[in-house]
Amino acid sequence: MSFDSLGLRAELLRAVSEQGYSEPTPIQKQAIPLVLEGRDIMGGAQTGTGKTAGFTLPLLQRLMATARPEKGRRPLRALVLTPTRELAAQVAESVDTYGRHLPLKSTVVFGGVSINPQKQKLIKGVDILVATPGRLLDHVGQRSVNLSKIDILVLDEADRMLDMGFIHDIKKVLALIPKQKQTLLFSATFSNDIKRLADSLLKSPELIEVAQRNTASETVTQVVHPVDKSRKRELLSFLIGSNNWRQVLVFTRTKHGANRLTEQLGKDGISAAAIHGNKSQGARTRALAEFKSGKVRVLVATDIAARGLDIDQLPHVVNYELPNISEDYVHRIGRTGRAGNEGEAMSLVCVDELKLLKDIERLIKRNIPKDVVEGFEVDPSIRAEPIINGRGRQQPKGRNRRPGGNKGSSPWKKNRPASRGNSNNRSRSGNRSKSAA
Ligand code: AMP
């Protein structure tokens, strides 16, 4: 099934194809026609299923169909509520992306940043607002937004909003929105509280549910290869070469790291291309096409760049570095093992990353098997150091490697969180690799 058969207008199809999406995801297939009909929806879907496009595309189309030729400031007609600023920013980016060929305006508001620039944008008038509940109410209080003309309301990750204690804020917002409207509620879980909220809010809703991303990972074999940081690149080349992998998606934490690794793989005779935020859309599309066609064996990506890329059904995903945000791990490994296919996700983990690994294992509620590759045994005298250049977070400074080398047991054996250090340059004698990755 293609996007063309869903009844979307040409401008939206164009935006979708520019994103490189070839086929709607299961939730999009179900949600888009229903939302276009004006139905209320109760959607069981997590992030990673394509739900954002599932509600954004038909929402944009409906706003176009009911465009109001009013003079003066355009009334706010669609409101998307999200629990966190990260999700709000992500949804707003999707609204921008999918709506880029339409004359609709949107903006995003969330707390933790100055309210004034947000006010300026709201006062000029927008059709669509993505917001976290608390900051939205601040704007209501300051009269920078009027919710009385809302036609479409989306509650995204409703279960998380309730978990975070937003129910009172949500009720206050609902009291300001017209009763007559279309409501789309998305939630990964359906607790009694969610059902109560849905009952009070939705009119004869259509229930749509898709398998969660976490369950898709049942078909993914996960493994951790413990390795010293300075030998990661060597191990990666070894794994690719000795297993004769032809198509591998590799994740790095930073754009710089992606570039460097791509270069180094090239020197090892393994064709690789990098995609990240500093690359133009054209360069990204080209890299993806070459990867898909088999011209390059390895695509090195950052988390942000990998979002929105149609790279389904990959046999191998490698976490060259673990992500700082545990949820990103689930997104990354969800790139393989899709649609019942077997997939393999391996993580090259150095001692600095033990804390990140622990967080990930807590999130996915299982221990990932550890497998030391022969010849790449970790040096137990190396102590953890802070992760520099990580997105968003840098660990505090502290002490690092023990003086005197191999004293005491390796943190790997006890699997305890890494101690902290302050230097990022840890080239040790005995390394086969010349250049630290
Ligand atoms: P979401 O669940 O909305 O957070 O989307 C998860 C990821 O899937 C995002 O990176 C989207 O850009 C991407 N995506 C959404 N729809 C499609 C599609 N039809 N084909 C491929 N990727 C998609």
Side-chain angles (χ1 to χ4, degrees):
M1 186 192 201
S2 74
F3 273 98
D4 299 6
S5 53
L6 291 174
L8 292 169
R9 50 195 296 151
E11 297 94 328
L12 294 170
L13 293 176
R14 199 171 136 208
V16 162
S17 105
E18 283 164 356
Q19 284 306 102
Y21 305 166
S22 49
E23 199 192 333
T25 65
I27 192 131
Q28 291 164 2
K29 281 179 204 164
Q30 295 178 66
I32 291 172
L34 290 167
V35 180
L36 287 177
E37 275 174 33
R39 298 285 305 269
D40 279 6
I41 278 185
M42 169 118 164
Q46 277 190 329
T47 294
T49 53
K51 71 177 156 66
T52 316
F55 67 74
T56 305
L57 289 166
L59 177 151
L60 291 165
Q61 175 139 333
R62 280 184 66 74
L63 291 183
M64 286 304 290
T66 58
R68 294 179 188 192
E70 289 181 25
K71 285 195 181 141
R73 181 170 126 177
R74 43 175 91 204
L76 179 67
R77 290 183 294 142
L79 174 66
V80 183
L81 286 181
T82 76
T84 62
R85 62 179 84 165
E86 288 80 15
L87 186 62
Q90 206 172 307
V91 170
E93 201 185 302
S94 295
V95 171
D96 271 357
T97 304
Y98 303 133
R100 74 212 303 175
H101 303 300
L102 296 172
L104 296 169
K105 286 201 172 152
S106 64
T107 194
V108 57
V109 300
F110 46 72
V113 294
S114 164
I115 199 166
N116 286 329
Q118 299 177 349
K119 254 170 114 171
Q120 301 300 320
K121 284 192 186 150
L122 285 171
I123 285 165
K124 281 188 195 148
V126 293
D127 302 281
I128 306 146
L129 175 62
V130 184
T132 52
R135 181 51 69 94
L136 177 64
L137 287 173
D138 293 342
H139 280 287
V140 168
Q142 299 197 14
R143 298 186 190 286
S144 37
V145 67
N146 173 355
L147 304 179
S148 68
K149 298 266 166 37
I150 297 285
D151 288 331
I152 307 177
L153 170 69
V154 181
L155 297 175
D156 198 6
E157 297 199 357
D159 49 350
R160 239 169 125 194
M161 285 203 273
L162 297 198
D163 287 349
M164 290 170 72
F166 283 137
I167 187 66
H168 299 296
D169 284 352
I170 291 174
K171 284 187 173 157
K172 281 185 205 162
V173 171
L174 291 176
L176 301 168
I177 295 179
K179 288 247 168 324
Q180 191 62 36
K181 65 183 172 302
Q182 182 176 18
T183 308
L184 317 175
L185 183 149
F186 290 89
S187 184
T189 54
F190 291 109
S191 63
N192 288 338
D193 284 345
I194 289 287
K195 286 186 192 134
R196 258 195 301 278
L197 178 68
D199 284 346
S200 70
L201 197 59
L202 304 175
K203 289 183 235 42
S204 339
E206 193 72 37
L207 191 72
I208 52 178
E209 222 169 331
V210 294
Q212 293 178 1
R213 193 74 171 256
N214 276 342
T215 56
S217 70
E218 296 299 318
T219 59
V220 178
T221 313
Q222 299 174 57
V223 66
V224 163
H225 294 310
V227 62
D228 294 338
K229 185 161 76 181
S230 63
R231 300 194 62 199
K232 280 190 176 188
R233 197 266 308 140
E234 195 189 350
L235 175 58
L236 179 62
S237 293
F238 171 77
L239 289 171
I240 295 172
S242 60
N243 294 297
N244 196 21
W245 291 338
R246 309 309 304 176
Q247 206 179 30
V248 195
L249 176 64
V250 177
F251 283 97
T252 59
R253 215 178 280 125
T254 64
K255 300 171 202 171
H256 182 58
N259 282 342
R260 200 163 41 165
L261 180 60
T262 305
E263 252 174 57
Q264 290 171 336
L265 287 172
K267 286 183 190 157
D268 286 350
I270 295 170
S271 55
I275 46 163
H276 53 66
N278 283 1
K279 300 255 175 187
S280 68
Q281 190 58 44
R284 288 198 231 181
T285 311
R286 208 165 37 249
L288 183 63
E290 290 183 346
F291 180 59
K292 279 180 167 176
S293 72
K295 202 169 159 196
V296 299
R297 274 169 95 174
V298 182
L299 191 64
V300 186
T302 57
D303 291 286
I304 306 262
R307 266 202 273 136
L309 287 177
D310 174 20
I311 36 179
D312 273 1
Q313 319 240 349
L314 283 169
H316 312 288
V317 167
V318 176
N319 295 303
Y320 188 77
E321 290 157 332
L322 289 181
N324 286 335
I325 297 162
S326 302
E327 282 81 3
D328 284 346
Y329 175 84
V330 179
H331 290 173
R332 288 175 175 192
I333 70 163
R335 295 290 179 182
T336 180
R338 285 194 173 178
N341 290 312
E342 297 284 310
E344 233 185 336
M346 62 225 73
S347 304
L348 312 190
V349 179
C350 70
V351 67
D352 303 352
E353 298 169 301
L354 287 180
K355 168 83 173 63
L356 298 177
L357 179 61
K358 221 171 153 192
D359 290 345
I360 288 166
E361 293 185 324
R362 198 175 298 130
L363 176 78
I364 63 172
K365 298 192 178 67
R366 64 164 109 153
N367 283 324
I368 307 172
K370 319 285 178 296
D371 172 39
V372 177
V373 178
E374 210 183 319
F376 290 90
E377 292 79 8
V378 294
D379 178 342
S381 71
I382 296 176
R383 296 292 154 222
E385 294 175 358
I387 293 170
I388 312 283
N389 282 337
R391 175 153 57 91
R393 249 186 354 204
Q394 185 176 323
Q395 294 172 10
K397 288 187 176 177
R399 288 188 301 127
N400 65 356
R401 176 157 35 106
R402 288 184 188 182
N406 192 0
K407 282 184 194 163
S409 61
S410 159
W412 269 109
K413 284 187 193 144
K414 286 185 178 170
N415 208 14
R416 63 177 154 78
S419 61
R420 304 267 155 86
N422 57 10
S423 154
N424 199 34
N425 184 4
R426 191 186 54 211
S427 196
R428 291 185 60 81
S429 60
N431 287 342
R432 278 197 255 152
S433 149
K434 283 195 185 66
S435 50

